């Protein structure tokens, strides 16, 4: 009798186990592929419907202003370089000694009132409002959700700081590091090839929660790629 019961249990296990393994594998795959690929997002921003009144320089000493801000329905985007922003909390990576232009503050603070931590939090910088473009008029705000794309990688970040009103293309130490870009504020960054896609009327709460930024960004990017 015991043998019969044991055989029955083994039969049930043999039938259920493959399904359970397959389900677990599917769940793991979905977790890895929770958001769209870099190519899928880039396909939605292949052409520019310019909304800025002019164009931006990528650096103070750039010869000319060549970067427009473009509308893409539920998002706005620009394609530029990446300068390293180390402003905010003082850390081993970001301070007056590592960055000549270090400022101990960010335009948008953490939920506890402290500046953001550039060494730990992926955030990007939007140009200060000017006659060229006012980011608020495009539905962007501090803590808004963005996707930063470079060499096939997607990093979900928040709008964390504002910069000079005639320059565009800047992100935090942590953003650069996660994308495989040299994050050193003295000699790091990328000269070109970075795409910044920011989703209109979006918000990550709290702003310093990168896991929340990633999950929010993945959902918004999926809808964006799907044309919703």
């Amino acid at each position: 009798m015991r043998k019969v019961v044991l055989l029955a249990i083994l039969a049930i296990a043999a039938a259920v186990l493959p399904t359970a393994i397959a389900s677990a594998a599917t769940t793991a795959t979905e977790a890895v592929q929770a958001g769209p690929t870099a190519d899928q997002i880039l396909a939605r921003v292949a052409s520019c419907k310019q909304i800025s009144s002019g164009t931006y320089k990528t650096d103070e000493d750039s010869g000319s202003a060549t970067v427009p801000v473009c509308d893409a329905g539920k998002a706005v985007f620009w394609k530029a370089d990446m300068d390293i922003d180390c402003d905010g909390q003082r850390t081993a990576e970001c301070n007056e000694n590592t960055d000549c232009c270090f400022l101990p503050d960010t335009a948008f603070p953490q939920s506890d009132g402290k500046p953001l931590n550039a060494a730990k939090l992926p955030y990007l910088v939007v140009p200060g409002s000017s006659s060229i473009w006012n980011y608020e008029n495009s539905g962007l705000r501090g803590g808004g959700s963005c996707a930063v794309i470079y060499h096939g990688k997607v990093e979900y970040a928040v709008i964390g700081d504002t910069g000079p009103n005639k320059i565009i293309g800047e992100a935090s130490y942590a953003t650069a590091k996660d994308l495989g870009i040299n994050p050193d504020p003295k000699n790091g960054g990328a000269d070109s090839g970075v795409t910044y896609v920011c989703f209109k009327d979006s918000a990550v709460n709290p702003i310093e929660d990168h896991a929340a930024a990633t999950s929010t960004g993945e959902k918004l990017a999926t809808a964006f790629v799907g044309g919703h």
Side-chain angles (χ1 to χ4, degrees):
M1 184 64 179
R2 290 180 181 176
K3 290 183 178 179
V4 173
V5 173
L6 179 59
L7 289 173
I9 292 172
L10 291 174
I12 293 171
V16 172
L17 190 57
T19 302
I21 292 173
S23 177
T26 300
T27 301
T29 301
E30 288 174 350
V32 173
Q33 301 175 346
T37 65
D39 286 344
Q40 288 174 320
I41 299 175
L42 291 176
R44 289 281 284 115
V45 296
S47 60
C48 176
K49 178 182 177 183
Q50 184 170 333
I51 55 172
S52 56
S53 297
T55 51
Y56 288 93
K57 289 185 175 183
T58 55
D59 295 291
E60 189 68 46
D61 57 357
S62 295
S64 58
T66 59
V67 181
V69 177
C70 312
D71 185 79
K74 295 286 187 179
V76 300
F77 70 94
W78 55 94
K79 300 180 180 182
D81 65 342
M82 181 183 287
D83 295 324
I84 306 302
D85 189 329
C86 242
D87 294 344
Q89 296 182 34
R90 287 183 177 85
T91 62
E93 300 85 359
C94 295
N95 56 65
E96 291 87 348
N97 295 321
T98 62
D99 182 3
C100 66
C101 307
F102 174 79
L103 294 174
D105 201 6
T106 50
F108 309 108
Q110 294 183 162
S111 57
D112 61 4
K114 294 180 180 179
L116 301 180
N117 186 331
K120 291 186 177 181
L121 180 69
Y123 71 73
L124 59 82
V125 181
V126 292
S129 298
S130 70
S131 59
I132 300 175
W133 179 56
N134 183 331
Y135 64 89
E136 291 179 315
N137 292 342
S138 294
L140 305 188
R141 68 192 74 172
S145 174
C146 303
V148 185
I149 303 165
Y150 181 74
H151 285 188
K153 294 182 179 180
V154 181
E155 176 70 6
Y156 292 101
V158 293
I159 296 174
D161 205 358
T162 58
N165 60 16
K166 294 183 179 180
I167 297 174
I168 204 166
E170 188 174 6
S172 69
Y173 182 106
T175 307
K177 184 178 179 181
D178 286 355
L179 286 170
I181 296 171
N182 179 1
D184 190 326
K186 289 183 179 179
N187 55 31
D191 291 333
S192 62
V194 185
T195 300
Y196 303 82
V197 181
C198 290
F199 304 106
K200 298 177 182 178
D201 302 314
S202 64
V204 175
N205 190 21
I207 186 173
E208 68 270 18
D209 188 340
H210 182 48
T214 299
S215 60
T216 299
E218 287 173 342
K219 291 175 183 176
L220 292 169
T222 297
F224 177 64
V225 165
H228 301 301

